[in-house]
Amino acid sequence: MTGTLEDQPESRVRPVRPPWRWRHAFLALTVLVTIALGALGTGVFGKLSGGGWTPADAESARADEALRAHFRSGTPDLVLLVAAPGPLDEPQAAAAGLRLTDRLRADTRVQHLDSYWPQREPALASRDGRTALISLRLLGGEREAAGAAQDIRREVAAGTGPLTVSAAGRAAAKRDLEEQSRRDLVRAELIAAPLVLIILVRVFGNLLSALLALSVGGIAVVGTLALLHALTAFTQVSLFAVNLTTALGFGLAVDYGLFIITRHREELAAGRDVREAVLVSVRTAGRTVFFSALTVALSMAALLVFPLYFLRSLAYAGISVAALAGLTAVLVLPVCLLVAGDRVRGRRGAPPPGAAPEGAGAGRGGGFFHRTARTVMRRPLLTVLLVAPALLCLAAPFQRVEFGLPDDRALPASSPVHRATDVVREEFDTRATAMASIVLPGLTGPASTSLAAYARQVSLTPHVVRVDTATGSYTGGALKAPPTPSSARFSGAHGRWLSVVTDAEPFSAEGGELVDALRSVPAPVPALVGGDAAALVDTTAAVGARLVPAAAIIVLVVLTLLFLFTGSVLIPVKALVLNLLSLTATFGAIVHVFQEGHLRALVGDFQVTGTTDTLLPVLMFCIAFGVSMDYEMFLLSRIMEEHRRTGDTTTAVAFGLERTGRLFTAAALVLAITMAAMATSGLTPLKLLGVGLTLAVVLDATLVRMLLVPAIMKLAGRANWWCPTPLRHLHARFGVSETAAEAGSKAVA
């Protein structure tokens, strides 16, 4: 061995007595700041965005922007389904439809409108001739379009004669997403808060301790919402950032509070006075919380490499809530413990059940977690050979993953927008939900010959049903319909564009192949291919191009921080491998449930689309990787304490699991409840994220921490603490030793 952790020198910093007399003023200031942040944070609602799934500079996004800016066309913001009691061409229905069309065309919020009336376009009528489409492009950005769509929906529902109107389209979907997200947020908190409080009271045997732990979460969430509100002035913020803030904020902050309060009560039970118990708790548990919060925040920062404001805004939320949870736990909570005094003790003034007296080594301990550790370490190789293949079996379905992007089917089946869009899919030959657009910027003047030749070639592409352009409609390489007055909309001063009707679902392998084929057709000028299928292709390419940098950031963060925390080379590598194993198992389960539709009764109803959201595995990876480090550091901190005392790895591992097993299982249960509450959402992306993170937390706290970690550390033996001489010197200079942490905590306190 080149060197071990216990050989490293200790800091000789002299402790400084903290100024306790300001604690009441500090708490009063904290309350005032929290109230002010709460008032600011409530303003974030109504300023959030429902998109951000495609890079702004992607070809599909530029095509859509060109259609909006120069042709007043493209993907409609609002699609009205107008149903008549009989045939659409009956005089009464036709007159009402024409009045509705004229009224909408005169609306100053409408940029462009396509309607069945008055030309009676066959493509805008259902197969049974009883339902027509009116598609509208609305003025303004995403937020303004969503507000206008909501107003128009109310107005047309108020009076349309014999016609019944329902709404689809992205602006209508955005408003329904916002409302559903807000309802889900309230429901999740109503479910999670009382359950978490009950668990904490059960763990502590003391209501005050439970409320102090919850207060850490409250401060972190309120502060993050205020920050998100401020960010909306500079960038778009996804509406899902609020749901993630509350779930992750309360989960992490309660974990941190649980860890520090538990250690504080152990020190009180060991005979220390309140002030000394607070100092020891901050020095030991506070150091672990600091590294854990830093790991979560830096893991979430990996999302910033992706050029999608959906992921970036969730990164802002995750970084903020982790940092605020950690700071609140190590700065505000210790002051609260000072003010609370002995009132945080349990019913009998003892630490939570299952914690052994201070100084009792694992070899003289007992209890479920001690026995589990000893049993595992008696047959460590057998444990690894049983548990690792089980996780790999769970991971197997991930080989069948098919990526897609969320659409109206992310809404509950009861949503009016969801129902209306299903009608468009099933009853209209236009396949309005499966159209592509090709923009030819700069193709102006006498370009009909080259445009016609290009349109014929595009119409020969597999899965293309029809191509509509300024020179007519083409099918199978032939002109099927000459230009009509409505064909003028395909021309403009800035170029031409083509509407491509397909029979391929946008979010499918065929949709991706279609986009690649369309982009390979020689065009008279550089072409921009847009539409839902193109957006998926562009998003997948952007995510794939930045996966390696994002993964590299997380790997570097985990290896560096765990090395600084432990001074070991093997332990960070072991943590990395085990996290990858449990996360892959989680991804496999997600594909099995949400993509393939198995076990739906266990997670609540949702529509199976045959695809997995291409962005959510990336998000889950960053969140779960950071969160899993909580339990790794909780366990390692106690293992290291005992190893420094005894020098025996087996004893240290058993002691560490004994002293933290009940703690991190309670913490995991709290976090799992907050994530499972998010899984009650009616929105499929939130449901998937909640189920996935719940499963990741449960697997990590059980199979990984309780079984694989003791088994692998037993197999590694003294190699767990090995460190080459150069790295040993590096850790001695930059790492955090116990006495340095003690001096730092006393000076800051």
Side-chain angles (χ1 to χ4, degrees):
M1 296 291 177
T2 306
T4 59
L5 186 63
E6 58 265 29
D7 296 328
Q8 299 176 26
E10 294 186 345
S11 170
R12 299 181 181 274
V13 179
R14 191 171 182 177
V16 178
R17 201 66 175 173
W20 305 109
R21 63 183 181 275
W22 300 109
R23 58 186 181 273
H24 292 95
F26 178 80
L27 287 183
L29 179 62
T30 300
V31 171
L32 292 176
V33 170
T34 302
I35 293 173
L37 291 175
L40 177 63
T42 54
V44 73
F45 299 99
K47 294 190 175 182
L48 302 172
S49 303
W53 308 87
T54 305
D57 61 349
E59 180 178 323
S60 56
R62 287 185 286 125
D64 190 62
E65 179 58 29
L67 288 171
R68 174 185 286 272
H70 304 311
F71 299 98
R72 295 189 175 186
S73 188
T75 305
D77 295 303
L78 182 64
V79 177
L80 299 178
L81 280 76
V82 186
L88 291 170
D89 296 334
E90 286 186 349
Q92 188 178 9
L98 187 57
R99 286 195 302 272
L100 175 61
T101 299
D102 291 339
R103 192 171 97 196
L104 292 171
R105 186 171 281 118
D107 195 313
T108 57
R109 297 164 296 187
V110 176
Q111 182 186 52
H112 178 74
L113 176 149
D114 285 317
S115 175
Y116 173 77
W117 298 280
Q119 284 87 8
R120 300 185 180 183
E121 291 274 357
L124 298 178
S126 62
R127 296 188 186 96
D128 63 4
R130 293 174 178 266
T131 305
L133 294 181
I134 302 177
S135 64
L136 305 102
R137 290 299 299 253
L138 303 173
L139 292 170
E142 179 183 309
R143 195 174 302 152
E144 293 77 13
Q150 184 70 2
D151 293 340
I152 291 172
R153 289 169 69 181
R154 284 195 294 263
E155 292 165 8
V156 298
T160 52
L163 306 176
T164 302
V165 181
S166 54
R170 59 186 180 185
K174 178 187 181 298
R175 181 52 60 97
D176 283 13
L177 280 170
E178 287 180 346
E179 294 177 355
Q180 184 68 44
S181 175
R182 196 171 301 179
R183 290 194 297 268
D184 291 343
L185 181 64
V186 173
R187 181 174 60 247
E189 294 309 311
L190 289 176
I191 293 172
L195 291 177
V196 169
L197 183 60
I198 290 171
I199 291 171
L200 291 176
V201 171
R202 171 61 181 162
V203 170
F204 288 124
N206 180 286
L207 179 61
L208 178 60
S209 297
L211 292 175
L212 287 178
L214 277 176
S215 69
V216 178
I219 294 173
V221 169
V222 166
T224 301
L225 292 179
L227 177 63
L228 292 178
H229 185 195
L231 284 174
T232 58
F234 306 98
T235 184
Q236 290 177 298
V237 176
S238 171
L239 60 90
F240 295 118
V242 174
N243 300 80
L244 179 66
T245 294
T246 56
L248 188 60
F250 276 106
L252 285 178
V254 169
D255 282 2
Y256 298 158
L258 181 65
F259 195 52
I260 288 178
I261 294 172
T262 298
R263 185 58 185 257
H264 175 69
R265 291 175 54 179
E266 288 182 13
E267 299 304 327
L268 291 176
R272 303 184 192 275
D273 63 25
V274 173
R275 295 181 180 181
E276 189 64 25
V278 168
L279 284 176
V280 173
S281 301
V282 174
R283 184 193 75 208
T284 54
R287 179 183 70 146
T288 304
V289 165
F290 170 79
F291 271 89
S292 175
L294 187 60
T295 304
V296 175
L298 292 179
S299 295
M300 293 298 295
L303 294 173
L304 295 176
V305 306
F306 296 100
L308 309 162
Y309 81 74
F310 170 77
L311 291 179
R312 288 191 172 189
S313 57
L314 294 179
Y316 302 143
I319 293 169
S320 302
V321 81
L324 287 174
L327 288 174
T328 305
V330 299
L331 294 179
V332 179
L333 183 58
V335 179
C336 294
L337 293 175
L338 282 172
V339 173
D342 287 339
R343 286 173 290 178
V344 297
R345 292 177 182 267
R347 285 184 291 267
R348 293 178 296 277
E358 185 66 42
R364 294 173 296 280
F368 170 76
F369 294 101
H370 173 85
R371 292 193 300 271
T372 299
R374 289 289 184 179
T375 300
V376 167
M377 288 188 289
R378 279 196 291 269
R379 296 177 179 81
L381 184 59
L382 178 62
T383 300
V384 173
L385 293 177
L386 289 176
V387 176
L391 291 174
L392 291 174
C393 287
L394 283 175
F398 193 57
Q399 301 175 82
R400 303 189 295 272
V401 67
E402 293 286 344
F403 289 114
L405 291 176
D407 55 16
D408 60 280
R409 291 171 291 184
L411 289 162
S414 59
S415 164
V417 172
H418 188 153
R419 293 199 304 265
T421 312
D422 278 345
V423 171
V424 176
R425 286 192 188 93
E426 296 167 5
E427 298 187 14
F428 285 80
D429 292 327
T430 60
R431 298 299 300 274
T433 59
M435 296 180 69
S437 301
I438 303 177
V439 180
L440 301 170
L443 186 65
T444 58
S448 59
T449 302
S450 59
L451 180 62
Y454 178 65
R456 287 191 181 93
Q457 191 64 32
V458 169
S459 70
L460 292 171
T461 305
H463 298 294
V464 171
V465 175
R466 188 181 74 251
V467 178
D468 297 326
T469 185
T471 59
S473 296
Y474 299 84
T475 301
L479 178 65
K480 293 298 183 181
T484 63
S486 64
S487 298
R489 65 192 180 98
F490 294 106
S491 299
H494 296 273
R496 304 285 190 269
W497 71 280
L498 296 76
S499 174
V500 182
V501 181
T502 83
D503 61 6
E505 282 293 333
F507 302 145
S508 66
E510 291 79 9
E513 293 169 1
L514 171 65
V515 172
D516 292 337
L518 292 177
R519 288 176 173 173
S520 66
V521 176
V525 295
L528 301 175
V529 177
D532 289 341
L536 173 60
V537 170
D538 292 341
T539 298
T540 303
V543 170
R546 290 163 176 81
L547 273 179
V548 172
I553 290 173
I554 293 179
V555 169
L556 184 63
V557 165
V558 170
L559 294 180
T560 301
L561 291 183
L562 275 182
F563 169 73
L564 294 176
F565 185 72
T566 64
S568 166
V569 172
L570 180 64
I571 287 176
V573 175
K574 178 263 300 178
L576 194 66
V577 172
L578 292 184
N579 285 352
L580 287 173
L581 182 61
S582 61
L583 273 175
T584 308
T586 301
F587 292 157
I590 289 301
V591 170
H592 184 72
V593 174
F594 285 90
Q595 179 178 304
E596 299 176 351
H598 304 290
L599 305 175
R600 291 170 64 189
L602 298 180
V603 300
D605 193 28
F606 60 91
Q607 182 163 345
V608 178
T609 63
T611 63
T612 299
D613 187 342
T614 190
L615 301 184
L616 290 186
V618 176
L619 178 61
M620 286 174 52
F621 182 86
C622 294
I623 296 174
F625 225 101
V627 168
S628 66
M629 286 297 100
D630 276 357
Y631 312 131
E632 179 76 7
M633 290 183 175
F634 290 176
L635 179 56
L636 282 176
S637 64
R638 287 305 182 92
I639 291 176
M640 290 164 58
E641 282 186 41
E642 183 67 9
H643 188 264
R644 277 190 294 266
R645 194 179 70 84
T646 66
D648 181 69
T649 298
T650 302
T651 300
V653 171
F655 173 85
L657 192 60
E658 176 187 348
R659 297 301 294 271
T660 61
R662 188 175 186 274
L663 176 61
F664 70 67
T665 51
L669 183 58
V670 167
L671 190 57
I673 285 174
T674 61
M675 295 302 172
M678 186 165 62
T680 64
S681 172
L683 302 177
T684 303
L686 286 178
K687 186 183 292 291
L688 187 152
L689 188 61
V691 171
L693 291 175
T694 300
L695 183 59
V697 168
V698 171
L699 289 177
D700 188 85
T702 54
L703 297 184
V704 174
R705 300 300 146 211
M706 293 176 59
L707 300 178
L708 286 181
V709 168
I712 292 175
M713 293 192 75
K714 173 64 176 178
L715 290 172
R718 190 172 172 79
N720 285 296
W721 318 107
W722 175 77
C723 184
T725 301
L727 291 180
R728 182 160 52 89
H729 292 323
L730 184 67
H731 181 268
R733 182 172 181 181
F734 298 105
V736 180
S737 66
E738 190 73 10
T739 51
E742 178 181 6
S745 68
K746 289 185 177 183
V748 172

